[in-house]
Amino acid sequence: MTAADSEAYALAHAAQRRAVRRRPRPGRRQAATSPPRRSPTQQAGDQAEREALAHLRAAGLVLVARNVACRAGEIDLVMREGAVLVFVEVRARTRGRYGGAAASVGLAKRLRLARTAAYFLRTCWKGPPPACRFDVLAFEADAPPRWIRHAFSLEALPGFR
């Protein structure tokens, strides 16, 4: 092999390595250029959140944050009503089986909401912690939304005082 051949070989080998590095590997996801697709259930939930926001704004509440998430869970809407901070869980059900939308906020969900609210107050809220309450806005099939103010209190939850 001559010097020119070995140089051509080295250049071709380097180009091949670069091409392999750029090639997507099977089983690995590419960086998303568009937002991920939402399932029909997620789309229905998004629609219920939009309707809930419109309903609460019409009632005089002011939006503070949407979809506050942490490791503990997620809060759909954080609103303000006067000096009170309102954490709103939006539930939508197409059928009333198993107690309906409002009944689906059980103890485990209430604990997740309380932990997420504590996270929000620690990390996002500026100033002294305000008075807070937890509301549920339930959407049932073909029925007007049911707004449950003071759906639960922290005193009723184990581990919170």
Side-chain angles (χ1 to χ4, degrees):
M1 194 188 258
T2 66
D5 289 338
S6 64
E7 184 179 336
Y9 173 79
L11 289 172
H13 186 66
Q16 187 178 27
R17 278 194 315 233
R18 282 192 304 271
V20 167
R21 245 184 272 138
R22 283 189 297 250
R23 189 178 312 148
R25 293 183 181 155
R28 293 186 108 182
R29 289 181 47 172
Q30 292 291 319
T33 55
S34 63
R37 282 188 178 167
R38 307 281 286 169
S39 73
T41 303
Q42 289 171 324
Q43 290 174 7
D46 294 342
Q47 178 63 31
E49 283 184 26
R50 285 190 295 272
E51 290 176 21
L53 181 59
H55 182 79
L56 294 169
R57 279 185 169 161
L61 279 74
V62 178
L63 179 66
V64 175
R66 290 180 83 163
N67 299 320
V68 175
C70 68
R71 289 180 58 177
E74 180 190 22
I75 294 176
D76 297 322
L77 299 170
V78 180
M79 309 288 288
R80 197 180 74 237
E81 184 175 39
V84 178
L85 198 61
V86 183
F87 297 100
V88 182
E89 175 65 12
V90 179
R91 296 299 231 185
R93 295 289 182 269
T94 55
R95 296 186 181 98
R97 291 187 285 181
Y98 310 112
S104 68
V105 183
L107 177 61
K109 181 62 178 178
R110 291 191 303 260
L111 285 168
R112 284 195 304 272
L113 289 169
R115 289 185 190 116
T116 307
Y119 165 82
F120 176 80
L121 290 172
R122 271 192 322 271
T123 60
C124 301
W125 191 256
K126 307 295 184 225
C132 299
R133 78 169 193 247
F134 294 89
D135 291 1
V136 173
L137 198 58
F139 290 89
E140 304 284 345
D142 301 330
R146 189 169 145 215
W147 183 8
I148 305 168
R149 296 176 189 226
H150 302 282
F152 63 93
S153 67
L154 293 180
E155 290 80 25
L157 295 177
F160 282 92
R161 276 183 260 151

